[in-house]
Structures are given as structure tokens and as C-alpha cells.
């Protein structure tokens, strides 16, 4: 897959016109659907659950990248597989037995991701980095679309890239929150592989063109290359 991978966040779609917005993503240069599931406990908001995901699954022609903002995510791994998840990310802060959960996700045939909150340092991922396919690095506090980007993310992203390269891992870095025309290029320069974008895409007058704008951003190239 050509980098950067672009994952519009369905959270910012118009739910009264969800079919139209899914079709827009299908016909755009987007690579993935980013699906945010919130339980009102791990985060102070409730988004949607399995019935909505299954409706998306019926129409989506691209990878469903599911970001769980829920406590005890290990309880629902099989259900998310059945609802169409190809990539399933659980929060570091919500997973007591993260290693077990990651392997349970992989046993269901999905790719496994770990999401980290803005306050969680990347070094805590050192002993799991070879087991995971993706780190979803939160660049806002999870719970809502359209929030202000936290500047510290650039340094965190560069540190994580260094850790991934040193480990010889193929893990992708996904940045979630406040991605736009200003932050996107700097994130890619710092090592990001996947850009999630909600408000930037769906509040735009031309969402398809905005996705194309993100896709045309210059991907990360190692300084040694
Ligand atoms: C926030 C979600 C994000 C959100 C990003 O809790 O995880 O995926 O939709 O939205 P924007 O791009 O609007 O910051
Ligand atoms: Zn998300």
C-alpha cells in the first residue's frame, strides 16, 4: 500500500446520510475507514456499536480500521471481527493483559493495534512493539472529533519511529486527532504512516478533494536513505 495511508474518521460523518458518506470514501483516494467506538466509561462520550458497524460493513469497500475506546476490550474481540474489523486497536490504558489481548486479536485473523493517550510515553510499548501491527497515537484526548492538536505529538512520533526501526518491526504509526493541512506534513516527516482525519475531511466543502490532498502529502523517508 502506498504511504501515507489515509483513514477518514466516520465519527465526523453525517449519520443521517451515512450511506452517502461511505460511498464518498469508497470512491475517494482514502485507504481505510477509521471507526471510533466509545463506551462512555473509558472516554466521556458514546459513539456507536455493532448495528452501525454492521451497516458500514455492508457498504464499505475498504479496510475497516477499528479504534476501541472502551474498557475491557478483550470481551468483544470476536464480535468486532464479525462486525467487519480488519484492524482492531485497543487502548494501552484500558488493557491490563495487553499481550494476551493482542494475541487474541491476531488469532481471530485481524491485525492488532495499540492506541496510546497523549500522556502515555512511547517507551511503554518497547516490549510489545514486535507483536503489533499498528500504534494509534492519540494527538488529542480521545472522545471527540474536531479538537486541537497537541504539539508534543511530533516528538513522540519521532521517538516511536526510532523504536520501531531499532526493533526491525513493520509496525505502522497512525496519528489520530487534529490532522489537517498544517499538521499532516510535519507528522509524516516525523515518521507517521497513517493519517486519521475526521473534521478536516467532513467539514471541508469538498471532502473527496481533501482526502486527495492528504494522500498527496510526502511520506516519511529515513534520513539514511
Ligand atoms: C477521537 C477519535 C478520532 C477523531 C478524530 O477520540 O479517536 O478518530 O474522530 O477527529 P478529528 O480528525 O476531527 O480530530
Ligand atoms: Zn480514532
Amino acid at each position: 500500500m502506498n504511504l501515507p495511508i489515509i483513514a477518514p474518521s466516520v465519527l465526523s460523518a453525517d449519520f443521517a446520510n451515512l450511506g452517502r458518506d461511505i460511498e464518498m470514501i469508497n470512491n475517494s483516494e482514502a485507504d481505510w475507514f477509521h471507526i471510533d467506538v466509545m463506551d462512555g466509561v473509558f472516554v466521556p462520550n458514546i459513539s456507536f456499536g455493532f448495528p452501525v458497524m454492521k451497516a458500514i460493513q455492508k457498504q464499505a469497500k475498504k479496510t475497516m480500521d477499528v479504534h476501541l475506546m472502551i474498557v475491557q476490550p478483550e470481551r468483544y474481540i470476536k464480535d468486532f471481527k464479525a462486525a467487519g474489523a480488519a484492524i482492531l486497536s485497543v487502548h494501552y490504558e484500558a488493557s491490563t493483559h495487553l499481550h494476551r489481548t493482542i494475541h487474541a486479536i491476531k488469532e481471530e485473523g485481524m491485525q492488532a493495534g495499540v492506541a496510546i493517550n497523549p500522556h502515555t510515553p512511547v517507551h511503554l510499548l518497547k516490549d510489545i512493539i514486535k507483536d503489533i501491527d499498528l500504534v494509534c497515537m492519540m494527538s488529542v484526548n480521545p472522545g471527540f472529533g474536531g479538537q486541537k492538536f497537541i504539539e508534543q505529538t511530533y516528538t513522540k512520533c519521532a521517538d516511536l519511529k526510532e523504536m520501531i526501526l531499532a526493533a526491525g518491526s513493520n509496525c505502522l504509526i497512525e496519528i489520530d486527532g487534529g490532522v489537517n493541512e498544517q499538521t499532516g506534513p510535519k507528522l509524516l516527516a516525523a515518521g507517521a504512516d497513517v493519517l486519521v482525519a475526521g473534521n478536516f475531511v467532513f467539514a471541508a466543502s469538498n471532502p473527496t478533494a481533501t482526502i486527495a490532498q492528504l494522500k498527496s502529502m510526502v511520506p516519511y523517508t529515513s534520513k539514511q536513505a
Side-chain angles (χ1 to χ4, degrees), residues 3-7 139 147-151 153-154 157-158 173-198 200-201 210-221:
L3 295 175
I5 291 168
I6 306 304
S139 35
Q147 301 183 84
K148 190 178 178 302
F149 181 84
I150 297 171
E151 297 285 320
T153 310
Y154 299 121
C157 184
I173 303 178
E174 173 178 71
I175 307 291
D176 190 4
V179 170
N180 58 30
E181 75 276 35
Q182 270 107 39
T183 58
K186 291 199 245 174
L187 288 164
L188 296 174
D193 303 293
V194 185
L195 299 177
V196 172
F200 183 54
V201 166
T210 303
I211 291 169
Q213 181 186 0
L214 287 164
K215 188 69 187 171
S216 71
M217 288 177 182
V218 180
Y220 171 82
T221 43

Side-chain angles (χ1 to χ4, degrees), residues 14-44:
D14 176 355
F15 286 92
N17 289 291
L18 191 53
R20 179 202 65 191
D21 286 355
I22 292 170
E23 225 27 60
M24 182 281 291
I25 296 174
N26 279 340
N27 294 324
S28 76
E29 289 183 54
D31 302 286
W32 297 350
F33 285 81
H34 185 80
I35 316 272
D36 289 304
V37 178
M38 305 178 184
D39 66 355
V41 179
F42 182 69
V43 287

Side-chain angles (χ1 to χ4, degrees), residues 7 14 36 38 42 54 60 63 71 73 76 83 95 105 108 110 112 122 164-165 173-174 178 186 201-202 204 213 224:
D14 176 355
D36 289 304
M38 305 178 184
F42 182 69
K54 285 183 179 166
T63 299
V71 297
Y76 296 108
S95 310
I105 292 171
E108 289 301 322
M110 293 178 282
V122 295
I164 289 170
L165 293 174
I173 303 178
E174 173 178 71
K186 291 199 245 174
V201 166
F202 286 98
Q213 181 186 0
Q224 281 94 336

Side-chain angles (χ1 to χ4, degrees), residues 9 11 34-38 65-69 136 138 142 174 176-177 196:
S9 171
L11 187 66
H34 185 80
I35 316 272
D36 289 304
V37 178
M38 305 178 184
D65 164 41
V66 179
H67 174 195
L68 299 185
M69 285 158 274
C136 174
M138 294 309 302
E174 173 178 71
D176 190 4
V196 172

